[in-house]
Amino acid sequence: MISFICSAVCSRTQYARERVVPAVENIKIPCIVVSDLMLCRRSNTTTAGRSGASTFRRVIPIPLRTEVGLAVNGGRHMTVPSFRFSRPVIVVVVLLLQILLIPPPTEGSPDKCRLVRSLRDEIAGYRPVVDRVLSYVQDQRGYKGRTWTALSKFTDTFGSRLAGTQNLENSIDFMLNKLRTSDLDNVHAERVVFTGWQRRKEYATLVSPRVKNLAILGLGGSVSTAPEGIRAEVVVVNSFDDLFNKSSQVSGKIVVYNQPYVSYGKTVVYRSMGASVASKYGAVATLIRSITPFSLNTPHAGEQSYSNGVKKIPTACITVEDAELLNRMYNRGSKLEIFLKMDSKFFANATSRNTIAEIKGSTDPDKVVLVSGHLDSWDVGQGAMDDGGGAFISWNSLVVLKNLGLRPKRTISTRSSLVSPQFLTPQSQVPIPIFHFPNVSNEPSSLTRLSSLTDSTIDAEEEGYIGAFAYLKGHKSELEKFNLVIESDEGTFQPYGIAFHGSETSACIVAEVAKLFDSINATTMQSSKDNVGSDIEVFENLNIPGLSLLNRNEKYFWYHHTEADTMAVEDPDSLDLNTAMFAIISYIIADLSVELPRS
């Protein structure tokens, strides 16, 4: 009898059935699993050493829960009792050792999951659908280039689309008409009420020790300067700790932040809270280095929020080049003075709309897979990358399915919502979770000082997500019916996989779906404990699984919230593949025999 294998790896009969038996069957030795034993028939051998075709002698019982201890393969210990056995058995043992010495599969690791074979086979059975959709979107006679063509016409026609402007409302009318002519189901708009903000004229000039115009973009929600503007001396800081150390010098001055770029998630706190922190020490305005790893003298817009109890001061982003220039001059001991003039407008009770379209499910239409992007943008550039591309792959993914006659069991809904720099009115607010700042230095004191300036809830990086909150409020009674929410809001560059947030078992299901994208090299599966989308964050926080595409967006923050966010950033072939992946993922999840289990 062969005694081997480990309590750590082979503790489950199911694992033996799914991993061990198929491997043994590959070398033509029939095996079955009975209770905790794998039973294999050993064949006769000929004088040439080849296995006989039909004569079998005896059954080899292989206990699957026997403690072992032979040192092999990187130090794992196993014990195999000493006995003599023929070549086929040696092959079996070698194969089993190779397979079973892999660390035990867990549901939380997408590449090492335990799913019943029938479910894996069901997902693999969608291969013809995958091939059909991919072929269609890459065929000149099919849908190739049509997402790019539609997006370019849209952005060239309307340009930037700040929430609260007539230009956005015109673009929504255009979008609704396109959705209706695409013969999608339940096309409609849902009203959103909010307090809006718009920039007017703004400029900044270094006036001493020399004159230089500074390119700026006022941050969303910033107050105006006095009509005559502000002329003040400058203090340059490189971190919140640096500001704290220089706090006695700040009163009556303009604070310039020249913080290094670490990552968007870690650095954006300077844009979000820089004005409030500086105001606490008496600053009259702040100019913040744009949150980007690369610059061609392009300032970046973005949202900021004022903490309760501090004076609201004007705030804007400046370019990386100007921030570094001012820092160098300041460190040399130069006395810097800047003239700043900013004019902005707030207006209450502004209205806009979320746009909705669906493919109704064939057998379970009340259950929903949501596919989304946001249609509005900042008031610079064309809003092609952020987030016209995301909105258009969402819409076009449904059109692709419709054109191919693919209707899943559950409903697929596409929603283009509003997330740009606006504020929910009190009437439309819903409770939101606490947002925790990332560490802004190696010293905990920075975070402690920031926390003292904030309420118990701190808005996310682009304050508002007004369309998401309004949609959530309007559909709160239906949230149990949402199976998955999908979003694209970090670029539509070349896709290479899936980012997923949800339960361990759901991650395993999505990992099987990811394997179907091998023909386009997009099989990477990233299961995250953190949310994977901005606009869908409000759903993920309510335990609804979330998904986004991994794409080659290393340069995303070069263009993000700048005049450079134009159609020049978008690639037709990449848009085709993003559209196809959205269509395929949403269709499979909406059509599976099981729903994604929640945590």
Side-chain angles (χ1 to χ4, degrees):
M1 185 173 74
I2 305 174
S3 297
F4 73 105
I5 297 308
C6 53
S7 54
V9 179
C10 298
S11 61
R12 296 204 181 187
T13 302
Q14 176 189 354
Y15 183 57
R17 288 194 179 101
E18 294 183 356
R19 293 288 297 275
V20 180
V21 173
V24 176
E25 288 174 347
N26 285 338
I27 59 170
K28 309 302 181 186
I29 299 180
C31 297
I32 61 172
V33 174
V34 179
S35 184
D36 287 342
L37 295 179
M38 185 176 73
L39 306 179
C40 299
R41 285 186 173 180
R42 191 184 68 182
S43 65
N44 285 328
T45 55
T46 66
T47 55
R50 295 186 177 90
S51 297
S54 59
T55 305
F56 300 88
R57 285 188 187 172
R58 61 192 177 92
V59 171
I60 305 170
I62 304 178
L64 296 179
R65 290 183 179 164
T66 304
E67 291 293 330
V68 289
L70 171 65
V72 291
N73 209 19
R76 292 187 178 86
H77 293 275
M78 308 185 73
T79 298
V80 179
S82 176
F83 61 92
R84 298 177 63 184
F85 44 91
S86 59
R87 182 175 298 176
V89 177
I90 295 175
V91 175
V92 173
V93 171
V94 171
L95 274 174
L96 293 174
L97 289 175
Q98 281 185 319
I99 295 168
L100 296 171
L101 282 174
I102 299 171
T106 63
E107 292 180 343
S109 303
D111 56 337
K112 300 171 184 176
C113 289
R114 298 190 199 99
L115 290 177
V116 294
R117 178 176 290 277
S118 60
L119 181 54
R120 293 207 311 266
D121 289 345
E122 181 185 356
I123 297 170
Y126 285 97
R127 173 73 67 178
V129 172
V130 175
D131 294 342
R132 187 180 174 196
V133 172
L134 286 172
S135 176
Y136 180 59
V137 300
Q138 296 179 91
D139 187 344
Q140 291 285 3
R141 297 166 299 178
Y143 213 76
K144 183 176 176 62
R146 288 174 62 176
T147 302
W148 187 92
T149 298
L151 176 61
S152 63
K153 181 178 179 179
F154 177 81
T155 56
D156 291 347
T157 301
F158 299 104
S160 63
R161 306 166 300 280
L162 188 68
T165 63
Q166 186 58 46
N167 196 44
L168 174 63
E169 297 312 300
N170 294 340
S171 74
I172 292 172
D173 290 337
F174 175 90
M175 190 72 167
L176 287 168
N177 183 59
K178 292 294 291 183
L179 293 169
R180 292 186 180 107
T181 57
S182 299
D183 199 28
L184 296 174
D185 304 324
N186 195 26
V187 176
H188 66 284
E190 297 178 351
R191 187 168 175 261
V192 181
V193 181
F194 56 96
T195 298
W197 174 91
Q198 291 179 19
R199 79 178 77 249
R200 293 176 174 176
K201 292 182 179 180
E202 54 188 19
Y203 57 90
T205 304
L206 175 67
V207 293
S208 178
R210 68 179 179 93
V211 176
K212 182 187 185 302
N213 289 330
L214 305 174
I216 68 168
L217 281 175
L219 293 177
S222 173
V223 296
S224 304
T225 63
E228 64 274 15
I230 297 172
R231 176 168 177 162
E233 190 177 339
V234 170
V235 174
V236 181
V237 300
N238 297 306
S239 67
F240 287 120
D241 284 333
D242 192 20
L243 174 63
F244 177 75
N245 293 333
K246 296 174 180 175
S247 58
S248 61
Q249 308 169 36
V250 168
S251 182
K253 298 178 181 176
I254 295 173
V255 169
V256 172
Y257 287 93
N258 182 46
Q259 75 287 340
Y261 181 87
V262 179
S263 68
Y264 187 78
K266 291 183 177 180
T267 312
V268 75
V269 66
Y270 288 93
R271 190 192 75 199
S272 301
M273 293 299 297
S276 292
V277 178
S279 177
K280 179 183 178 182
Y281 301 121
V284 295
T286 55
L287 297 175
I288 299 165
R289 173 176 168 155
S290 290
I291 313 302
T292 179
F294 178 78
S295 176
L296 289 173
N297 207 45
T298 47
H300 292 235
E303 187 50 51
Q304 66 86 39
S305 57
Y306 296 111
S307 299
N308 288 343
V310 300
K311 181 181 179 181
K312 296 179 181 181
I313 59 175
T315 181
C317 268
I318 59 175
T319 68
V320 171
E321 293 87 344
D322 284 342
E324 292 184 346
L325 167 67
L326 296 171
N327 185 63
R328 291 192 301 270
M329 296 174 73
Y330 182 82
N331 287 341
R332 294 189 193 108
S334 297
K335 180 180 178 180
L336 308 178
E337 288 189 12
I338 286 176
F339 176 76
L340 175 68
K341 188 170 184 179
M342 295 174 59
D343 184 19
S344 59
K345 176 186 177 183
F346 291 85
F347 46 98
N349 298 318
T351 62
S352 191
R353 294 161 290 172
N354 287 334
T355 57
I356 316 292
E358 297 175 344
I359 293 178
K360 278 290 185 183
S362 59
T363 61
D364 206 354
D366 290 340
K367 301 293 180 66
V368 177
V369 170
L370 181 67
V371 183
S372 68
H374 65 86
L375 199 60
D376 67 328
S377 75
W378 280 92
D379 54 346
V380 289
Q382 287 184 297
M385 180 192 74
D386 184 17
D387 184 35
F392 270 65
I393 68 168
S394 299
W395 158 50
N396 281 276
S397 66
L398 267 67
V399 177
V400 165
L401 295 175
K402 187 77 173 183
N403 290 353
L404 293 176
L406 294 169
R407 184 181 294 273
K409 297 180 180 72
R410 303 173 192 87
T411 294
I412 303 175
S413 178
T414 181
R415 184 202 70 200
S416 298
S417 61
L418 313 178
V419 300
S420 65
Q422 314 301 333
F423 309 90
L424 288 169
T425 62
Q427 291 82 8
S428 59
Q429 284 180 340
V430 294
I432 59 174
I434 294 175
F435 174 85
H436 297 284
F437 279 117
N439 290 331
V440 294
S441 79
N442 293 326
E443 298 180 18
S445 56
S446 294
L447 190 57
T448 302
R449 286 193 289 274
L450 275 177
S451 298
S452 68
L453 294 171
T454 63
D455 300 326
S456 60
T457 58
I458 304 172
D459 290 337
E461 164 258 318
E462 284 187 8
E463 183 178 22
Y465 301 147
I466 58 175
F469 281 118
Y471 185 89
L472 187 69
K473 181 182 178 184
H475 296 266
K476 60 184 178 182
S477 64
E478 307 165 19
L479 294 180
E480 285 302 316
K481 299 176 182 179
F482 280 70
N483 192 21
L484 176 67
V485 288
I486 306 174
E487 180 191 30
S488 173
D489 192 17
E490 290 190 1
T492 48
F493 301 93
Q494 179 77 19
Y496 67 92
I498 295 172
F500 179 77
H501 172 72
S503 70
E504 293 178 344
T505 303
S506 292
C508 289
I509 293 172
V510 174
E512 292 297 314
V513 176
K515 294 176 183 178
L516 298 173
F517 296 108
D518 52 346
S519 64
I520 59 170
N521 298 316
T523 58
T524 300
M525 171 64 186
Q526 186 180 94
S527 181
S528 175
K529 294 181 179 179
D530 300 319
N531 295 330
V532 295
S534 54
D535 198 20
I536 60 173
E537 180 179 12
V538 295
F539 300 92
E540 293 178 277
N541 287 338
L542 296 175
N543 204 27
I544 299 172
L547 183 149
S548 64
L549 296 184
L550 299 170
N551 67 102
R552 303 294 178 192
N553 62 353
E554 293 84 0
K555 296 181 180 179
Y556 179 79
F557 291 110
W558 293 19
Y559 313 106
H560 181 246
H561 297 179
T562 73
E563 290 285 358
D565 182 358
T566 68
M567 282 303 297
V569 179
E570 296 296 326
D571 171 64
D573 292 340
S574 295
L575 282 169
D576 288 339
L577 294 180
N578 279 274
T579 300
M581 289 188 70
F582 261 35
I584 291 165
I585 294 167
S586 61
Y587 177 81
I588 293 176
I589 299 301
D591 196 61
L592 276 177
S593 61
V594 299
E595 296 183 20
L596 295 181
R598 301 189 184 185
S599 300

